[in-house]
Amino acid sequence: MYEVSKKFRMIAYILVGALVCSTMCFSGEGSVFGELNSQTVSAAPDEGTTISGEETSTATEVSTTVPEVKTTSGVTPVKKIVPAVVKNLKTENVNTNTVTLRWNAGKNATEYWVYRSAQKKNGKMSKYKKIKTVKSKTTSFVDKGLKQATKYQYAVYSYRIVKGAKTHSKAVKVSVLTKPEAVEKVTVTKKTAKSVQVEWKKNSKASKYLVYRAEEKNNGVLGAYKYVKTVKKTKTSYSDKKITMGKIFGYKVVVQRSTGGLNSFSEGKIAKTVAPLDAPKKLKQKRVSDTSLKLTWKKVKHATEYEVYRDGKLVKKTKKASFVDKKLKNGITYEYAVKAVRNYNKKKTKSEAACIEANTSDMKDGTWVEVSIAKQMMYMYVHGKLYVKTPVVTGNAGALSTTKGVHYVRSKSSPCRLQGSYNGSSWDVTVHYWLGFTADGQGLHDSTWRSAFGGTIYKGNGSHGCVNTPLDAMKKIYNKGYIGMPVIVH
């Protein structure tokens, strides 16, 4: 009887306990299971899965739900703690193929999962893919191997994994546009007195180009680069029409890429140049002696030196605004050209030439004629000043060449009939003006049968020794010429 009574008591205890447990589970009040089932947490896909990409330009939160965790009856489960979302997710050090992500730690996180969505060729965003697991002690990630000028979107989750139990925060997202590559080359292609032309190679990723300019402050030092122009992507040049002669200018071209509501900018590519220099002004010549001449001119702003040319050949580089040319020949006319030069970056910028003619003759009050065979030019000076300058054709090079030396006019006639023969050929022509200067019949005269003068005509199609001259020039020379007038041939 005692044993039966004992069994009944045990069965009663079990039935009472079951009834109490059943009541607690269904009501959810005060139970561990009730607390987990009623809690909604944020969840991310398991590693290796993807989520659809969403476009946004600022950090945002994405909410999902994790399935409930089942427990074995009678065993108290580990209480799950949901980590906080990361804060201040941002991008840093954005380059053409790398981006740095940085954030503030999510409380209670043991690691962070980073997902990425990339812009496709059609402009749409790809599905998110997990690319990195970052331990909780680190709150940054450098993404490498990216494409230039491409939009990327990142999602970062805070994860807490303790004894196999996983919880995670909502996702925070941020978008970024990698930098486009810089233009390959910037060059200054044209320089005039009024403008500088800058050109560069086309960049296929450019939405537009931004041009910046820096101007010389002093002694070759450039000031800050300042924005001056936005150029359409279809153009690859810029003309600067606000220049100062002789100054140094720097031009920087930046590629701007715009897509998906974002903008990014390439590194700037720079070209520097010196704006054209003014030609020397007030160039003057003065006879120093029978064999020397002095040239003077006004200094050119920003010029570092000057180049002096005599008859087309460089004879002097000087930092002064003057030059004395020595060891010349008396009675000879020389043609001088002076250029202003500025040296910068191992390159030279030269001005247009200022030109002048000078003669070593001391016949200041006289009148004479000079003939240059090499230049095929004739000059007449009246009272020491140049009166006529004209191209001519002298004697045919060789046996018929015009005789060099100092001659004097022997005969003067208008009109004049010229007759003669040489080596089987003869001539009989009448000219308007004649000034003979040698005993064997060489002289100055007009030659209306010629259509051109100067150059190298005398080499093969020259005269028989006379100086063939255009009619209008010969008329002036004849009117000022006189018997005994010097004629210098060289």
Side-chain angles (χ1 to χ4, degrees):
M1 185 65 181
Y2 175 78
E3 290 181 0
V4 172
S5 180
K6 186 176 181 180
K7 287 180 181 180
F8 279 122
R9 283 199 300 272
M10 288 295 292
I11 292 172
Y13 291 153
I14 292 172
L15 289 174
V16 172
L19 179 62
V20 172
C21 183
S22 175
T23 303
M24 290 179 64
C25 287
F26 281 102
S27 67
E29 295 180 0
S31 73
V32 174
F33 290 122
E35 181 178 343
L36 285 175
N37 288 337
S38 66
Q39 181 182 13
T40 300
V41 297
S42 299
D46 290 333
E47 188 170 355
T49 63
T50 62
I51 59 176
S52 297
E54 297 180 17
E55 294 194 23
T56 179
S57 58
T58 57
T60 57
E61 295 183 353
V62 179
S63 178
T64 56
T65 305
V66 170
E68 66 177 50
V69 179
K70 296 181 180 179
T71 60
T72 303
S73 179
V75 180
T76 303
V78 176
K79 185 177 181 180
K80 291 190 176 182
I81 300 175
V82 179
V85 297
V86 300
K87 299 292 184 180
N88 300 321
L89 176 62
K90 58 185 177 180
T91 58
E92 297 178 350
N93 303 321
V94 180
N95 292 304
T96 56
N97 56 7
T98 61
V99 170
T100 298
L101 295 178
R102 195 175 299 278
W103 58 87
N104 292 346
K107 187 178 180 181
N108 297 320
T110 59
E111 62 188 34
Y112 305 97
W113 286 15
V114 180
Y115 288 76
R116 183 181 69 201
S117 171
Q119 187 180 38
K120 296 185 288 187
K121 289 184 179 181
N122 61 7
K124 295 182 178 180
M125 301 301 293
S126 68
K127 291 184 178 181
Y128 278 88
K129 290 185 179 180
K130 183 182 178 185
I131 58 172
K132 187 69 176 179
T133 298
V134 180
K135 296 302 181 182
S136 62
K137 291 183 179 180
T138 303
T139 55
S140 64
F141 166 60
V142 179
D143 196 8
K144 301 178 181 179
L146 304 177
K147 295 180 180 179
Q148 62 135 342
T150 301
K151 180 181 177 181
Y152 291 91
Q153 197 165 358
Y154 295 89
V156 178
Y157 293 85
S158 294
Y159 257 84
R160 179 176 179 82
I161 303 176
V162 178
K163 296 182 179 179
K166 295 182 182 179
T167 56
H168 62 81
S169 70
K170 296 178 181 180
V172 177
K173 294 171 65 180
V174 68
S175 296
V176 68
L177 183 61
T178 54
K179 284 186 177 182
E181 292 178 351
V183 292
E184 287 187 23
K185 193 175 184 181
V186 178
T187 56
V188 176
T189 55
K190 295 179 183 177
K191 293 191 291 184
T192 68
K194 296 182 179 180
S195 66
V196 169
Q197 180 86 0
V198 182
E199 295 184 359
W200 56 88
K201 268 195 167 186
K202 184 178 180 180
N203 184 302
S204 61
K205 295 293 185 179
S207 299
K208 61 183 72 173
Y209 302 97
L210 305 179
V211 181
Y212 298 78
R213 184 184 73 168
E215 186 174 343
E216 180 182 15
K217 294 301 181 183
N218 51 52
N219 299 323
V221 178
L222 292 177
Y225 281 90
K226 297 180 180 179
Y227 165 82
V228 292
K229 186 72 173 178
T230 296
V231 179
K232 295 179 180 179
K233 66 179 182 179
T234 54
K235 294 185 64 178
T236 56
S237 65
Y238 165 68
S239 181
D240 186 6
K241 297 180 180 179
K242 296 181 179 180
I243 62 172
T244 302
M245 298 287 280
K247 263 193 172 184
I248 299 169
F249 289 89
Y251 297 92
K252 179 168 66 174
V253 179
V254 174
V255 178
Q256 178 177 331
R257 173 70 173 176
S258 302
T259 183
L262 300 175
N263 295 312
S264 63
F265 305 88
S266 74
E267 297 296 326
K269 190 61 72 74
I270 292 175
K272 299 177 183 179
T273 190
V274 176
L277 290 158
D278 280 317
K281 297 179 180 179
K282 297 184 178 181
L283 177 60
K284 298 179 181 180
Q285 60 88 19
K286 180 181 179 181
R287 179 182 178 276
V288 177
S289 68
D290 289 348
T291 59
S292 62
L293 292 164
K294 183 176 182 179
L295 303 178
T296 58
W297 57 89
K298 187 178 180 181
K299 284 186 176 181
V300 176
K301 192 173 183 180
H302 301 300
T304 54
E305 64 179 3
Y306 304 92
E307 293 181 350
V308 181
Y309 297 80
R310 184 207 311 129
D311 294 337
K313 295 182 179 180
L314 179 64
V315 293
K316 183 67 176 180
K317 292 181 181 180
T318 178
K319 293 184 178 181
K320 298 179 180 179
S322 63
F323 167 61
V324 177
D325 199 6
K326 302 177 181 179
K327 296 181 180 180
L328 302 174
K329 294 181 180 179
N330 181 247
I332 304 299
T333 297
Y334 296 95
E335 294 180 355
Y336 289 95
V338 181
K339 295 181 180 180
V341 180
R342 181 159 194 191
N343 296 304
Y344 180 71
N345 275 353
K346 298 181 180 180
K347 294 182 179 180
K348 291 186 176 182
T349 298
K350 301 180 182 181
S351 72
E352 295 293 325
C355 301
I356 196 171
E357 292 169 346
N359 192 287
T360 54
S361 174
D362 60 353
M363 296 182 286
K364 294 180 181 179
D365 298 326
T367 298
W368 75 96
V369 169
E370 175 193 346
V371 178
S372 171
I373 294 177
K375 298 177 185 177
Q376 289 293 284
M377 294 294 295
M378 181 163 65
Y379 312 87
M380 184 179 194
Y381 291 86
V382 176
H383 303 307
K385 294 183 179 180
L386 183 63
Y387 176 63
V388 175
K389 175 184 176 183
T390 180
V392 295
V393 177
T394 59
N396 203 58
L400 295 177
S401 180
T402 304
T403 305
K404 294 181 180 180
V406 179
H407 311 284
Y408 299 90
V409 173
R410 294 165 171 265
S411 58
K412 180 179 181 182
S413 178
S414 177
C416 181
R417 184 179 182 183
L418 304 177
Q419 293 177 296
S421 62
Y422 175 79
N423 200 22
S425 65
S426 60
W427 58 92
D428 184 353
V429 297
T430 298
V431 298
H432 293 83
Y433 307 101
W434 166 261
L435 293 174
F437 59 79
T438 66
D440 61 356
Q442 295 183 7
L444 314 176
H445 64 78
D446 54 281
S447 305
T448 55
W449 56 88
R450 287 191 181 275
S451 60
F453 297 85
T456 58
I457 297 173
Y458 77 104
K459 296 180 178 180
N461 190 27
S463 71
H464 292 89
C466 290
V467 180
N468 292 180
T469 308
L471 180 60
D472 56 346
M474 190 61 212
K475 181 179 180 180
K476 293 179 180 180
I477 293 172
Y478 182 86
N479 289 337
K480 293 291 184 178
Y482 58 93
I483 302 296
M485 179 182 70
V487 176
I488 303 169
V489 181
H490 61 88

